[in-house]
Amino acid sequence: MSRLHSSAPMLLLRRRSSSTSTSLPSHRAPHVALAAATERARFGTLSPEEAHELFDELLQQATPVPERALNGFLAALARAPAPATCSDGLSLVVALFSRMSRGHGPPVASPTVHTYSILLDCCCRARQPDLALAFFGCFLRAGFKGDEVIINTLLKVLCHAKRTDEAADVLLHRITHLGCVPNAISYNTVIKGLCDGSRSQHALELLRMMAKQEAGCSPDVVSYTTVIPGFLKEGKFSMASNLFHEMVQQGVVPDVVTYNSMIDVLCKRGRSKEARQILDCAILKSLKPNIVTYSTMLHGILIYAHAKCGLVDEAFLIFEDIQKQGMKPNVVTYSAMIDAFCGKGRMNDAIEQFNQMIDMGVRPDVQTYRCLIQGYCTHGHLGRAKELVYEMMEKSIGCPGVVFFNSIMNNLCKEGRVTDAQDIFDFMKHIGEKPNVITFNSLIDGYCLVGKMQIASSLEYMMIWYRLALSLMQLRTIHLLMDTLKLEWWMLR
């Protein structure tokens, strides 16, 4: 152990003398002292000094401490909540571990396989893979035989350190030499490491080994639910879909995460009807969808709703399902539903949803107002659109912005509604929103489209003067900046 201690001197905490604190009374039974300290460690209220004082007390006991109780104490320190008094759990656990079998008289306790598992897990959480491997070397030199817990923790350490090839080598070739048989958790740990590194094809090969009974264990729902999102993340939608159906055929029941992944990819590819079938299948199998399921389904249908008018009503049914399941829609979900109604000219339905979200305590954001404003402008209710802009400004939500207004004006001009576009242009200037070149060009194109060339020509001159004014303003700003820099340079000299 001396080699380990010398390799990590910074991890060992200096122990404060026990005579300087009276927080832990002496002459208590070991299990009583440990139970009290473990409880405080779980809540993050035990200081490093108090932990060392506890070990001072335990070293004075005539008999060693129960191993299970001591391991529980170390595990509590390693997993102390943040922020906690023992902010560096790894340093403290290592320091106490180094004292377990040292000193004069009986040892506090001898390390066990469980003790080393705690150390490896703590190193993994602290992103210290090299230290974890050093502890594992000590574990082997001590003559211990590996069990599933410590081997799986070792695999997790390697995967977190992006050393998945080493983890796969341990899993496939070395684990039996360590006196352990891999289980589903072992394979799933490496499978996740491969998928996190965008190597889902390699992960699938491990899953296939499990499915062919070559691994000594069968793939479970975690195995499939790890690889399927991995393929989706890499854009391999067909492989993800095929694996999902294979999973069902193998008798492995998908969980809500698996269903959500498939619904998401089908919706993104415009196959909302198939996504709805998968959702119905999940409900028939007594699997309760969550807010992610419904939100994904809702957004997927709304994307397709602009091409298929009838799907807006189906989307609304899903929206109602969300609330019937006891889940509260958020501002994104409400805004999506409002946008769908506005896109189909159903402004009464849109404003009804808008009022409902306010009654439910959901605060509208900029996007919510933009949906309504664009809807009212598109369907000829400019007065109501202006009222909503004023409402946004009064509530300090902000202004829709020149890019948003330009988009509306461009659409109106293409439809020949240049008068409405001019109204938006005048309104922009009224509220202090400065038009840009795109604004002028949209309006000029609109007047040209309806044959009002004289107005288009005057707007073109106006745009030229406007651009010149902006240039002069920018030039003036540049001159002021140069004058300031010259002054600063003169002062520095």
Side-chain angles (χ1 to χ4, degrees), residues 237 262-272 275 296 300 303:
F237 304 115
M262 289 308 304
I263 289 171
D264 181 57
V265 67
L266 287 170
C267 287
K268 286 179 178 177
R269 302 190 77 182
R271 295 159 63 177
S272 55
T296 303
I303 291 170

Side-chain angles (χ1 to χ4, degrees), residues 347 351 369-378 380-395 398-400 404-405 408-409 412 419-431:
M347 299 308 300
I351 206 66
Y369 277 97
R370 282 178 176 174
C371 294
L372 286 169
I373 293 167
Q374 184 167 6
Y376 279 121
C377 288
T378 302
H381 303 283
L382 298 183
R384 181 63 180 126
K386 294 176 184 178
E387 291 175 6
L388 286 171
V389 174
Y390 285 127
E391 185 177 311
M392 286 180 70
M393 299 171 70
E394 288 172 5
K395 292 183 176 180
C399 189
F404 174 76
F405 284 120
I408 293 177
M409 287 179 59
L412 291 173
T419 303
D420 290 339
Q422 179 70 55
D423 196 352
I424 297 293
F425 179 83
D426 296 338
F427 178 69
M428 284 176 61
K429 294 191 294 181
H430 176 71
I431 62 174

Side-chain angles (χ1 to χ4, degrees), residues 284-302:
L284 286 173
K285 292 184 177 181
S286 301
L287 184 69
K288 187 177 181 180
N290 57 21
I291 186 65
V292 177
T293 316
Y294 282 108
S295 296
T296 303
M297 189 71 203
L298 178 64
H299 288 292
I301 286 184
L302 292 178

